[in-house]
Structures are given as C-alpha cells and as structure tokens.
C-alpha cells in the first residue's frame, strides 16, 4: 500500500459545492463557475495563475511522495518577496488614486467655475442573494492544499484581493446579473440601507481630471494644496521593510530571519527576566563549564589572570591571615604543613576549579597531616606495632570557605595594584623619572587600606605629571584606579614648583625619613639644622616667591603646611598610625541631645550611653555591642569617637623622631617649628585613622556576627529526621502534627494534619474538645477525644508533633500526654532491642520557625490551596520532623528572616545570606541528593542549587535536560551526555567532576547498567579503587576479575560483592599499605579516600547528620511566649490582667500568656483589707514578678506598693574608667529640672510607658518604634490631664487627651481615666489594652487587607485600574 492509496481523490467536492444557484425572482438556474481561475469570469489575474501552477505541481508531488519538501533557493525566496512588495505598493496606489466626495467639494470651492456633476440615480436598490458560495470570495482549500504553506495561502488571498481592486471601476458591469433596478413604487427613492450597499467607485487620475474639468493651472494649485501622492513614500517604504521583516520571521529557513527570531528580552521586562534567571548573563553562566558560585563570585575579576609569582604570594598572604586564628589550636611545629595545605587548597580552587565540598570530601588527605609516632609500650598487648599513625586536621570546612573569600579579596588587591603599576609605568615612559618610595611601598602593601595609602601618596606627589599624561592620552590617567574625591593638589603643586620648597628641605628631614624612624625600620635618619633661624631663612630672597609668597611669614607657613601634608600622606606614617590605633586605640561613646531624652534606663542603648575607654581589640569578643553603637549613631542618639589611649606619650615619641639632637638657639627654634608641623599632621592623621578604623572595625564585627549566624544555622540543619524507637537513623517517620496556634485552649479550634513518610498530606481536620474525663467523678471525655484516638489507630503515626505560639500550647501538650497514657496509644513500630514490644506514642514539641513562615506563604497556597493557615502550619511541623534540612532549604532567601543571633539585624542581609548559603551547601553535600527523586519531587529539587558545582541556573538546566532525555538517569555518566545514545549533556565535564559524587542514583540489581558505586559517596575518579578493594576483599585473581568484568561490565566485581552479601570483608583490608603505594607510585594521597570507600561499600550514603535535637526549656519558653531571659525575668514590673479574685489569692495573666498567682501576703500591706475590696476581675494592674518557672510557664506576682516602688536595676560588669558616672549623674539631675520655660514642674507617672516628652519629642521617640507602640506623657491642659501618643503608621501619630478622675492630690494619679468624654477605664493599662491596642489591631487588619495601598493619594487613585492585573483571580464588580 503506497502513500497515494491514502488519498481517495485529488479534490473531491462536497454536495454543497455542487449545488446550483437560482435567481430568486425568475427561478432560472445559474451554474457556478468551478474553475480555479475562471477564464470567462472577471477575477482573472496573472499572479494567481502562477500560484495555481505551483499548486498543481505541489498536488502532483503529493500524489507521488505525499510530502512536499520546501527546497526553494534563496534567490527564489528573494524574488517572491520583491513581487509581494511590488503588489502591496500597487494596491496602496490604487486605493489612494481616487478622490472621495469631500475632495470634489473642496475642488469646487477652490474653482467657482467648476460644476459638480449631479449625482446619478442609482441603478440598484439591493443586492440579490445568491448561493452561499457565490459570496465566498476566498478559494476553498481541498485535500490537495492541506500541505500548502501559509505563505502560499496568503499569496492566494492577496492575489484575489488585488484582482477585486483592479476591476473595481467596472463593478456595476461585473455584477449585472446580480443587480436589478428596483425602485420604490411610490416615490422612486432608494432606501438608505439599500444605498449603503453601493460603495464609491474608485477613479484614476485622468478620470478625476476629466470629471473635475480643471486646466493645468488649477491642477497645479491642487497639487500644491494636496500634494502629488508621493509625499509619504518614505513611510510606505518603511512599512514595506517592516512587513518584509515580518515575512522573514515567518520563514524559518531564511538565514536572515534566524538572526531576528523573537527572544524573551523582546517580550518581558529586564526585571522579570532577572527574577527568573533568564537574562543573557544567566544563560552564559548556564553554558560555561565552571561552577556557578565561582562564576558569580569572580565576576568582577573575570579578566584578571594571576601570574605564578602572584599565586605564590597569595598562598602566603592567605596563610598568614588564617594562621593568626588557627595558631591557638595547632602546634607551632605544624605551621609549615599548614601553609602547604593552604597552598594546595588554593590550587584546587583556582587551577582545578573545585568547590569547597569537593575538596573537603575528595581531597581530604591534603588538609590532614599524618605521621608515624612511637607507640607507648603496652604490657597487655606485646604484639602491638611499635608505631602508630597520628592524623591532625589542619583545616576545617568553614576555613575552606574563608580561603575562598580571601582569594576574592586578594584578587581585588592585585587588580588595584596592577592598575597602579600600569599607571606608574606609563608615567615613566612619558616622563622618564623614578619614585623609589613608590616602588618600595607598592609591592609591600598587602591590604586594600595600605594600597589606598600608596595611591593617595602617588597622586599627591605626581599630580601635575598625571594631569599632563591624561591630557596627552586624552583619557583618565588613573587607568581604573580610584582617586579620593576633592583631592586637588593645586596649592601644594605651586609650593613644590616654587622656591619656597627650599624652605621645606631646610627642615632637615623628609617626611619619608621621619616615617621610617617612627616605623623603626632600617637605619635611623638624623635631622640636620640649617645655619639660620626659620624666620630669618624665610625672609631671604632665594626663598620668597612673589606675588604668592612675598613675605617670610607666608613662606614659613606654606613650607610647614607642605611638610605636614607630606607626613600626612606618607604610606609609612599611615602604617605607623594604623598599627598604633589597633594596638592602643579606645572607643568613647557620647550621647547627643537627642539621645539624652530618648535613651533612658529601659532603652536597649543604655548599655553604652556613657561608655568610655573601651579598647578596640575588646570588640572582637563583643561585636554585637559595637554594631549596636553604630546603629545608635546612625539614628543620631550617640556619637562614637575613636582615639589613642596614650596620645600624649605617643606624640612625645614622635617628637623625638623628628627633632634634631643639637643644643643651640637655632636648633630649638627649628625643633619648635618641627613640632608644630607634626601637630598639624597628627590632627589630620587622627581624624582619618579614626574614620578608617571605625569602618574596618564595623566590617570585622559584621563578619563575626555573620559567622556566628552560620555556626548556629549549621547546628540547626545538622539534624537527621526524628528517629522513633524501632526506626533506623535517617528513615523518614510518619507524623501527626497538632497545634492550637495562638488560640485559647479548649475554646478555639485545634488543627491537625497527618503526613506520611513520602511527605504527602493524607488527612487533616480540626478538634476542639480534648478534655480527658474522670470516671471516678462521673466526668466523661470530651467530644473529640475518641476522634483523636481513631485517627491515631487508623493512621498509625510514628510520632506526634506539637507546637504553637501561645502559652496555652503547654496545656495542650499536657493534655495530649494524658490522652496517650489513658488511652494507651502506641507507636506502629516494634523496638527490636526490646523484644518486639511497642512503646507509647511520643509527643515532641517542634521548632516552628519554619512553619510560621510557611503557613501564609505563596508556596503553601500553591501546594494546599484549600487549607487554613493553621493547617499549613501543622503540615510544616510534620515535615520539619521528617527533615529539618528540607524545610530550611525550601525557604531559599527567606531563610534570612529566621533569627540566628541577637545582633543579626545589625548586619546587611546579603552578608548573612552568604554565610547561611555556605552552611546549606556543606550539609546538603554531606547528605547527598537522589537525582531521580529531584526530577519528580520539588522538595528534593530544592537541594540541587546547593550541590557542589551547581547553582540555581545550572540546577534548572540539569532538570530540564534530564526531562528531555527521558525523565530519569541510570548512571552518573549520563549527566555529561552520550551522543551514541542521543543523550544531551546536563553539565560540562568540569561541573560534573564537582557534582557527580553528591548526586546519587539508587542501585537496581535488575538493571544491567546500574552501578552500585553510583549510589555511594565515592567519586567516579575513584571507582577503580573501589573495584580493586572489592576484588581484594573477594580474593579474586586477575583472571577471575577479567572474566567477571568481560561478562557483566566494569561494575561486576562490586555487584558480586553486594550480591553475595560480603561487604564486611573490606574491613579485613590493610589500607595503610595500599595508600603508601599510591602515594609512592602515583603521587596521590588517598588514605582518607580509601577509608571513605570502605565505609561506602558497606553502607551507601550512611546518615552522617546528628540526631534530631529536641528543644530546651529555654527555647520552648521563647517559642511559646515570645520572651527571652533578658526581656522577662524575676524582679521586673509588668502589667497583669486579673482573672479571678479569691479570699486570699488572685489569679492573673501576663500579656505573653503566662499565668500566675498572687499570694495573700503579696496582695497588700494591709492584711485587714479583703482582696475583693482592692481589685476586681478583668482589671489590669502593675505587678512585680517574684517567681518565674520557664519550664512550666508559671509565675508568682506581688502587688504590694513598697515592692513596686523599688526600681529594677541591671547589674553591669564594668571595669573602672569604662563608665562616665559623673556625666550620668549630671544628666539625671538635668532631667529632673523644670520641663519648659513656663516654670511648670515635671509631672511624673509611675508607669513603664511614661516619658517626660512633649508631642514633638513623643513623635520623634516613636519614629523608630513599631506600629502600635505607645507613649504616656504630661498634658498641657492641666494637672488632671494626661496625653497618650501612639504610632498609627510611619509618620502618622494620634494624640489622645485623657482626663484623670478622682485625683487626691496635684501629683497623684487618678482613680479612673476618661477618653473622649465617654470611655472610662480604671487604670492606664486597661486604657492602653482596650482602647489604644484595639485601634492598633484594626489598623493592622486594614493594612493587611489585599486592597490596602500605602502610597500617595495619586497612587491610590490608580489602584482600581491596576487591581485586575495584580489580583487576576479576584473579580471586581462594576456599578451599572
């Protein structure tokens, strides 16, 4: 059966096409013209004939081969484009050739002699309807046309349209058979609707001329008025080119069209492409066979190539900086081995481009120092070897990341040094000079700060030469270096070029020689005195240089300024100052006038309000303190000053280095001038050094806090899944998660979710009444207790996870414990170590920091669209128990919102995230990623960006390629592609070498191509070692190995080891000798690698993480209450809400949810008064915490007035001289003085929120506070009024007037408080909670609403039009 047999006819017409048309009035039959190009019709067109010829050829080809291949030559395509362009031009000319009726009217107005021809009576009334096909102008496409290209169809349509327009002048004659004269019988007038059928007939230019009756002059006037029709040819040409370009885009075989293919950047905004990692730069990163993190980090230095000498210098440079911190842990004898290890790691990173996880896992032998030492004789083991191998780890994994960061800093240093060197070389080539100090200091500068000093010195000494060089080259003379802003040296250049500079030389010592003396380097340079006094020498003619320096005083002043500037800009002198500041510098903190009012004893900045004489080196142990001081300075509350502790003694030492040793009146005069010069230089040096040291100290403290965050985060992610009894470590448990959120226990719903071991949510719901009854008292269980029991028995979870953010969660925990015990709920697994007995179901309080972020996240809405936020919260709790690492990795950049350190908020987020990312990279590469699971499971795919060598872009590319290749891989080698199997490469060879061992493929014994080693941590480069070890363990000779591998492939030996279950035999191998042979014969250190292979052959990808860490009592206390040990402790005075008043006790509750009691003795100092007389239910009062149990969340309070009067005092551990007590006392005295010039004494109210502020000060104080914060302050309306100011939003505050009722005296507090004349409260706390906080809650609800807009009024006015695009899922109802 051939292809042509599939076609029953060439172009079989349907019955409708064969119908005949009838005249509606006469009934005569009119045969339809079936010709493709009617030779007797009126639609004949040559271009159409060409197309039909092509169609006939195509039909013949179809009958022959069924498919027509478009092998059209480029010249033919170009010819057809030119024809189409020509046809379009002709069509437009014909359309624009005629004049409409309005044009004729205008001609008549311009030419009064022109008589417009009366409109002739129309010949037609209506167009008679023929058959449907009579009105169908476009030719139908039959079977022969199904493979015609869209281009040909478009040509057909255009040809037909052109044919219609070409014969438009004869339309009345063309449709003579279709049109009849049908006038109205009464008036003979054509109906308007019928008249619309006839369209204006187009006229040619000659017809218009004849119809208008215009002569040549009139036609010239018409052309001047209306043009000759060629005025817009340029626009038509442009349109033709655009259409031609569009046609090229439609032609996929056109080489020019391929260059103009539509790209993403032509459709999407750059910000959208950058967000989705689809920019050209992102694509370059995907394509480059370099680890993604390396590409991003080294992007600023991609053109920098280090020389061999610079590479050696870098290894020494990095070793020095890490050894300063490492020397406390390593012996001094290991210093050389440490430097070699650093150099080797640097080689792996720079030359081989291996990432940190690869080096730590597969080059571990190079960061471990091993040596044989004599073993201590053991009488119990006389046959023991005389020597033993001792290994010391020289570098930790976190230090490898530090090497990577230092490599980037060194590259920045080299780039700046190279730029300065190039500039100096160009200056030498142009002017032929030398600067020995520059040549000496440039290579010696090993920090960016020192290099900047050299650059400043260089630009100061050679400002004029650099300007000449810039003018000569017509470009910047700095060649990429940075010049200090405002560093004009015009004044000093004039001094240097004038005769006054002779007076500078007369000082007897140069700035560089003096700095060398101060630095204590080289031979001491002595100062020589001139023969004349300074003032006498300055008055000499050879020194003065009129008109700028026409007097001796001017010359001496200029010379001193010049020498002081040279000392100030001397790189050696700055090195002296920098060293002195870091050794003996101290920090003083001074409060500003604003800080005097804002920082009180309860303010977090009070710790350093009067801090003095704090050594700079001490901040290394307290980085949070300095960062907090920097934040306070940015807020304008304090001023930080850095100075030398022994400035005067240091200055005297410098005097001795610049003065001469002579004893004479002239020497004394010159020494006085020299000291003045040094004072001038030190003034500028101290100011500059203080600024630079502060900036550097800030950076060091930020790095230290970021490193602390990394260490804490590493501890949190170093947790295996929770392990119930009976499960192997690393196995994922089934979890039932329960939470009451912030709800009140037994009054609000409790949500639960069951998540199986695959992470799927199989069931969820709500519970309310979990009260466990007491049969002895006749109390039955709550309505939901049995429901909970049924859930546990049906789903058989391995563990129950519980959490929340209220103190009532503790009650829920105790209730669940009682239910499990009473109902004897047990886990589903047996404990093999306990005779198969099952244990009671465990209840674990889970860290909820990830769950709080997940519950309202877009990710939760996408994964579980119908779940309530609290249910999503439970899902996240269950998944956290199953794998904390997965939950943290799924957060991506949101992980920085989790608090790792109290000072985290003072560090830039980018720096924090960088450290947290490295911690994730370390842990995920220890755990490994199942690549086939990552393809199908998004939660596992979240690991891929952190795999060694990969990143977000390369991870996307890898998943995409694997899906294209079939959706799964069977070996690691498939990741680099296989042309024979038509597999695309997901990564390049270098990236594959980085990532392959961390991406494992589960071993399938049935699959022939499956390799057991692909399911281990063994790198493919070490597969031969693993196979050799397996063969040795099986005691196979070479013939057995060859036979096995030839039959079953290269992995047959390991497969046999596993199949025979003989992996334990590898423990009998002596790896030490094998490692020595490898190092001796192949110069490869593989001792640790061999140990790793032995472990992986026995247990592939063994769980190396620590056990799941249960929360401590302190952590649970903070999670449930939101309070820390600093924010809530015994001795504090806090507001409490009274829940119940008894005869001899009071039950109360704090705002954080902790409940407690007030014993009878702590209620009042008057025992004869009943508590009910003093207090009432729901009243809010001030109380002192006398007892606080952080485990049970219970507290004790005191309401005694004498206890409340005793203020809480913090204990500060300060050394003498570190606190300015005098200034503190003076400020306290000043705050007690009168409040304003009116003489009114300051009102004092015993309340923690009271401040002696006016309205402006209150707003300023609340400016940096959170929305809803409150300040109680004195009122200007009188002694019986108070003012309450609270922050509504940014720059929006409300001032509330509060009237005090029942005051017993001028300075006493009122018995009641009235707001607005109608709301009365018993005390200030009740007013704040029930009035201010209630309004603040409504404001929060309003601002959290989806339609709330926080912009300006104009922006809000635009919101309704933008709403549909912002929220496409919501419908906006329009008022009709």
């Amino acid at each position: 059966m051939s292809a042509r047999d599939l076609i029953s006819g060439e172009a079989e017409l349907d019955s409708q096409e064969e119908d005949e048309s009838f005249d509606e009035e006469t009934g005569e039959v009119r045969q339809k013209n079936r010709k493709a190009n009617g030779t007797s019709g009126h639609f004949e067109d040559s271009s159409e004939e060409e197309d039909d010829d092509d169609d006939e050829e195509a039909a013949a080809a179809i009958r022959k081969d069924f498919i027509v291949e478009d092998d059209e030559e480029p010249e033919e395509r170009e010819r057809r484009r030119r024809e189409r362009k020509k046809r379009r031009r002709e069509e437009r000319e014909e359309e624009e050739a005629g004049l409409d009726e309005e044009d004729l009217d205008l001609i008549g107005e311009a030419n009064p002699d022109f008589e417009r021809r009366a409109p002739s009576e129309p010949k037609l009334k209506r167009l008679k309807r023929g058959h449907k096909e009579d009105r169908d102008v476009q030719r139908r496409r039959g079977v022969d046309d199904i493979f015609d290209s869209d281009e040909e169809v478009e040509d057909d349509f255009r040809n037909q349209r052109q044919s219609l327009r070409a014969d438009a002048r004869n339309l009345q004659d063309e449709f003579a058979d279709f049109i009849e004269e049908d006038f109205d019988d009464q008036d003979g007038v054509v109906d308007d609707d019928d008249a619309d059928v006839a369209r204006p007939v187009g006229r040619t230019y000659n017809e218009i001329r004849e119809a208008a009756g215009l002569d040549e002059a009139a036609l010239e006037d018409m052309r001047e008025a209306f043009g000759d029709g060629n005025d817009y040819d340029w626009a038509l040409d442009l349109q033709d080119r655009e259409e031609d370009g569009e046609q090229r885009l439609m032609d996929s075989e056109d080489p020019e069209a391929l260059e103009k293919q539509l790209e993403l950047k032509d459709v999407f905004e750059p910000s959208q492409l950058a967000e989705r990692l689809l920019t050209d730069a992102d694509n370059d990163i995907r394509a480059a066979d370099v680890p993604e993190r390396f590409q991003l980090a080294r992007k600023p230095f991609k053109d920098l190539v280090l020389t061999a000498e610079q590479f050696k210098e870098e290894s020494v440079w990095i070793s020095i900086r890490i050894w300063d911190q490492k020397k406390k842990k390593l012996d001094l004898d290991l210093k050389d081995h440490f430097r070699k290890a650093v150099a080797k790691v640097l080689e792996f990173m720079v030359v081989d481009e291996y990432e940190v996880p690869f080096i730590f896992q597969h080059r571990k032998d190079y960061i471990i120092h091993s040596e044989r030492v004599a073993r201590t004789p053991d009488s119990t083991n006389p046959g023991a070897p005389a020597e033993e191998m001792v290994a010391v780890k020289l570098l930790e994994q976190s230090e490898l990341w530090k090497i990577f960061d230092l490599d980037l800093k060194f590259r920045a240093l080299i780039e700046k040094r190279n730029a300065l060197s190039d500039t100096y070389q160009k200056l030498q080539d142009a002017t032929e000079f030398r600067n020995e100090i520059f040549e000496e200091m440039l290579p010696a500068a090993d920090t960016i700060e020192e290099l900047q000093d050299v650059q400043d010195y260089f630009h100061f000494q050679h400002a004029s030469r650099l300007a000449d060089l810039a003018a000569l080259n017509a470009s910047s003379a700095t060649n990429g270096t940075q010049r200090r802003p405002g560093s004009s040296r015009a004044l000093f250049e004039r001094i240097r070029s004038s005769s006054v500079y002779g007076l500078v030389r007369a000082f007897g010592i140069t700035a560089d020689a003096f700095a060398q003396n101060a630095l204590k380097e080289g031979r001491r340079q002595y100062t020589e005195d001139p023969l004349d006094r300074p003032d006498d020498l300055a008055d000499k003619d050879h020194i003065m240089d009129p008109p700028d320096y026409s007097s001796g005083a001017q010359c001496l002043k200029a010379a001193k300024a010049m020498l002081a500037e040279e000392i100030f800009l001397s790189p050696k002198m700055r090195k002296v100052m920098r060293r002195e500041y870091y050794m003996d510098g101290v920090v003083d903190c001074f409060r500003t006038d604003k800080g005097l009012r804002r920082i009180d004893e309860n303010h977090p900045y009070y710790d350093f309000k009067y801090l003095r004489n704090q050594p700079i080196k001490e901040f290394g142990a307290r980085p949070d303190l300095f960062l907090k001081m920097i934040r306070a300075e940015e807020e304008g509350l304090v001023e930080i000053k850095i100075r030398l502790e022994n400035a005067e003694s240091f200055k005297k030492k410098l005097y001795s280095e610049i003065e001469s040793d002579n004893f004479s009146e002239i020497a004394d005069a010159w020494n006085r001038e020299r000291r003045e010069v040094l004072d001038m230089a030190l003034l500028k040096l101290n100011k500059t050094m203080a600024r630079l040291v502060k900036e550097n100290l800030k950076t060091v403290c930020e790095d230290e806090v970021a490193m602390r965050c990394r260490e804490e985060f590493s501890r949190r992610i170093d947790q295996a899944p929770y392990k119930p009894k009976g499960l192997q470590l690393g196995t994922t448990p089934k979890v039932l998660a329960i939470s009451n959120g912030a709800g009140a226990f037994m009054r609000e719903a409790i949500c639960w979710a069951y998540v199986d071991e695959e992470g799927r949510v199989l069931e969820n719901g709500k519970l309310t009444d979990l009260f466990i009854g007491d049969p002895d008292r006749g109390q039955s269980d709550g309505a939901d207790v049995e429901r909970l029991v049924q859930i546990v028995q049906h789903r058989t979870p391995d563990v129950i996870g519980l959490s929340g953010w209220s103190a009532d969660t503790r009650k829920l925990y105790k209730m669940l414990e009682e239910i499990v015990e009473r109902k004897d709920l047990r886990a589903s697994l047996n404990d093999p170590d306990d005779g198969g007995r099952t244990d009671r179901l465990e209840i674990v309080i889970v860290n909820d920091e990830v769950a709080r972020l997940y519950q309202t996240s877009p990710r939760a809405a996408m994964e579980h669209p119908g779940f309530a936020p609290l249910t999503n919260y439970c899902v996240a709790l269950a998944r956290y128990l199953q794998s904390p690492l997965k939950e943290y990795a799924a957060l991506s950049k949101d992980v920085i919102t989790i608090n790792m350190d109290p000072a985290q908020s003072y560090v830039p987020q980018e720096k924090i995230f960088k450290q947290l990312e490295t911690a994730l990279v370390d842990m995920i590469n220890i755990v490994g990623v199942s690549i086939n699971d990552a393809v199908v499971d998004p939660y596992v795919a979240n690991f891929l960006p952190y795999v060694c060598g990969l990143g977000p872009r390369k991870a996307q590319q890898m998943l995409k390629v694997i899906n294209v290749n079939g959706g799964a891989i069977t070996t690691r080698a498939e990741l680099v592609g296989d042309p024979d199997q038509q597999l695309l490469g997901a990564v390049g060879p270098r990236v594959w070498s980085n990532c392959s061992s961390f991406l494992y493929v589960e071993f399938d014994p049935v699959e022939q191509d499956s390799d057991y080693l692909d399911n281990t941590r063994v790198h493919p480069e070490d597969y031969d070692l693993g196979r050799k070890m397996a063969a040795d363990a099986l005691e196979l000779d070479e013939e057995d190995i060859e036979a096995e591998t030839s039959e079953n492939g290269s992995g047959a030996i390991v497969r046999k080891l596993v199949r025979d279950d003989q992996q334990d035999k590898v423990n009998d191998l002596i790896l030490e000798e094998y490692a020595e042979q490898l190092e001796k014969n192949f110069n490869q250190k593989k001792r640790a690698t061999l140990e790793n292979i032995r472990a992986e052959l026995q247990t592939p990808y063994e769980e190396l993480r620590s056990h799941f860490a249960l929360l401590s009592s302190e952590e649970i206390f903070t999670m449930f209450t939101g309070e820390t040990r600093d924010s809530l402790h015994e001795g504090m005075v806090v507001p409490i809400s009274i829940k119940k008043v008894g005869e001899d006790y009071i039950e109360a509750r704090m705002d954080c949810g902790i409940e407690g009691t007030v014993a009878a003795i702590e209620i009042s100092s008057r025992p004869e008064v009943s508590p009910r007389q003093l207090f009432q239910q729901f009243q809010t009062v001030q109380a002192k915490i006398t007892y606080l149990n952080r485990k049970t969340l219970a507290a004790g309070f005191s309401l005694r007035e004498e206890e409340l009067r005793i203020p809480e005092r913090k204990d500060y551990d300060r050394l003498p001289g570190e606190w300015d007590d005098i200034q503190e006392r003076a400020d306290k005295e000043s705050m007690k003085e009168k409040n304003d010039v009116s003489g009114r004494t300051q009102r004092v109210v015993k309340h923690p929120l009271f401040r002696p502020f006016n309205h402006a000060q209150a707003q300023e104080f609340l400016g940096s506070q959170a929305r809803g914060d409150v300040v109680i302050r004195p009122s200007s309306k009188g002694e019986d009024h108070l003012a309450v100011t609270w922050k509504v939003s940014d720059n929006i505050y409300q001032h509330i007037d509060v009237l005090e009722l029942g005051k017993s005296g001028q300075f006493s507090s009122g018995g009641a408080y009235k707001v607005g004349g109608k709301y009365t409260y018993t005390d200030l706390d009740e007013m704040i909670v029930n009035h201010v906080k209630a309004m603040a809650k409504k404001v929060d609800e309003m601002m959290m609403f989806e339609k709330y807009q926080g912009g300006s009024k104009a922006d809000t006015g635009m919101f309704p039009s933008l709403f549909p695009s912002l929220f496409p899922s919501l419908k906006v109802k329009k008022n009709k």
Side-chain angles (χ1 to χ4, degrees), residues 542-560:
H542 70 277
I543 295 295
M544 288 189 293
D545 190 4
D548 294 333
Y549 308 102
S550 55
S551 66
Q554 289 179 335
C555 293
L556 185 59
K557 181 179 180 182
K560 291 164 62 177

Side-chain angles (χ1 to χ4, degrees), residues 415-431 433 438 442 455 458-459 462 465-467 469-470 473 476-483:
E415 187 177 54
K416 190 177 182 68
R417 183 193 294 175
N418 290 345
L420 271 174
S421 180
D422 292 344
T423 303
Y424 180 70
Q425 187 62 45
K426 290 180 181 179
L427 207 60
Q428 272 192 320
D429 296 341
T431 59
F433 85 105
F438 178 84
L442 183 63
Q455 177 177 310
F458 181 66
H459 282 285
H462 309 290
R465 291 189 177 95
L466 289 171
L469 182 62
N473 297 332
S476 174
T478 58
N479 192 21
T481 60
Q482 300 176 358
R483 296 188 62 180

Side-chain angles (χ1 to χ4, degrees), residues 20-166:
E20 297 170 335
S21 61
F22 297 87
D23 189 289
E24 292 184 353
E25 294 186 0
T26 65
E28 295 180 357
V29 177
R30 288 201 297 266
Q31 296 295 330
K32 183 187 301 186
N33 185 1
R34 292 191 179 92
K35 295 183 179 180
N37 292 298
T39 57
S40 61
H42 304 280
F43 299 97
E44 185 176 355
D45 185 72
S46 59
S47 62
E48 194 170 354
E49 289 180 357
E50 291 179 9
D51 294 341
D52 286 337
D53 293 340
D54 296 339
D55 294 341
E56 292 176 2
E57 295 175 2
I62 290 173
R63 289 192 294 271
K64 181 179 180 181
D65 298 321
F66 193 68
I67 295 177
V68 179
E69 295 184 0
D70 187 8
D71 55 353
E72 193 175 29
E73 295 297 330
E75 294 81 4
E76 180 65 20
R77 286 197 297 269
E78 184 64 26
R79 181 188 64 80
R80 296 184 61 181
R81 276 197 297 271
R82 288 197 299 267
E83 290 179 356
R84 287 194 296 269
K85 180 177 179 182
K86 180 180 179 182
R87 288 198 297 268
R88 288 194 295 269
R89 174 64 63 83
E90 292 174 353
E91 291 169 8
R92 283 194 295 269
E93 290 178 352
E94 291 174 0
E95 291 174 355
E96 298 167 359
L99 297 177
D100 57 16
E101 301 297 329
E102 294 181 356
D103 295 334
L104 295 175
D105 290 339
L106 291 174
I107 294 172
E109 293 176 3
N111 186 6
D113 297 333
F114 170 71
E115 293 183 1
R116 183 175 179 182
R117 186 169 55 187
S120 61
E121 191 176 65
K123 297 180 180 181
L124 72 155
K125 176 180 179 181
R126 65 179 181 271
L127 185 65
K128 292 297 184 179
R129 293 189 184 93
H131 195 273
K132 177 180 179 181
E133 272 65 27
D134 292 330
R135 302 190 306 270
D136 188 4
V137 178
Q138 184 175 358
R139 178 175 61 86
R140 288 182 173 272
R141 300 175 69 186
V143 177
D144 291 338
D145 303 322
I146 61 175
F147 294 102
D148 288 352
S149 65
D150 292 339
E151 178 182 331
E152 295 171 352
V153 175
E154 182 183 354
D155 290 342
D156 292 343
F157 178 74
R158 187 180 294 110
N159 294 337
Q160 293 172 8
R161 185 176 59 183
Q162 180 179 354
S163 177
L164 289 172
R165 291 173 176 171

